Amino acid sequence: MSLAELQPGEVEGTKKQSTQSESRKAQSVIPVCIKENQEEKILKDYSFETLWKDEITAHVEVKGGQVEVTRYTTHPVKQLFASEHMTRYQLNQIFEMRCWDKNRPDIMDILRHLGLKDYNPYEIIKKTHGVSFNDFVWFRFPGEELRCEDVMARSDYVL
């Protein structure tokens, strides 16, 4: 039977039944989605160390929306963090300063070379350790047994 053959009440009834059926399906899926979201955090907690050459200058704990920094030096050349408390947004700004400009014409080529699909400063830092040719500051993540000589782009790191 085509829509043209149906009476006006039949079309509305069919639509109403379809809507009720979809509503029941959605209600059965919603609890599953809520449970999955409760089990898997959207913002992952993580930690890392900041080093100047091979000297640990800070330990950083990221939990929820907050960042706690334990600074081992306040020397302005060795320390990236001005305070012991910050937000994820502020940390992300620091990460971005250690990354390539996201508006570079070849940024997608660089990201592809790193195995990344999009510009995410945290993911870039995990791959590059935040190394800059301009200083000796870098990041080390748990489980890594790296030294300055393993990550530095410059060969004059031993002064």
Side-chain angles (χ1 to χ4, degrees), residues 108-125:
M108 292 311 294
D109 294 332
I110 294 169
L111 295 175
R112 224 178 348 269
H113 179 74
L114 293 174
L116 301 174
K117 294 180 182 177
D118 58 349
Y119 187 91
N120 178 329
Y122 170 67
E123 294 298 329
I124 293 169
I125 293 297

Side-chain angles (χ1 to χ4, degrees), residues 29-42:
V29 171
I30 290 172
V32 173
C33 291
I34 291 171
K35 184 178 179 188
E36 286 176 2
N37 285 338
Q38 288 171 344
E39 291 174 4
E40 182 182 334
K41 287 184 176 181
I42 293 173

Side-chain angles (χ1 to χ4, degrees), residues 48-58 77-78 80-81 95 98 125 128-132 135-141 144-153 157:
F48 62 92
E49 296 171 325
T50 302
L51 294 92
W52 182 80
K53 298 186 177 184
D54 283 323
E55 175 187 342
I56 298 173
T57 59
V77 173
K78 298 178 180 183
L80 288 177
F81 305 103
F95 283 168
R98 311 291 299 178
I125 293 297
T128 66
H129 299 282
V131 170
S132 171
D135 60 32
F136 298 105
V137 175
W138 59 287
F139 302 108
R140 182 168 58 197
F141 293 89
E144 296 179 332
E145 295 181 18
L146 298 171
R147 297 180 40 115
C148 181
E149 64 190 37
D150 299 324
V151 297
M152 279 295 138
Y157 61 87

Side-chain angles (χ1 to χ4, degrees), residues 9-22:
E10 291 176 304
V11 173
E12 289 172 16
T14 305
K15 185 176 180 180
K16 189 174 184 178
Q17 286 175 346
S18 174
T19 304
Q20 288 173 343
S21 173
E22 288 172 11

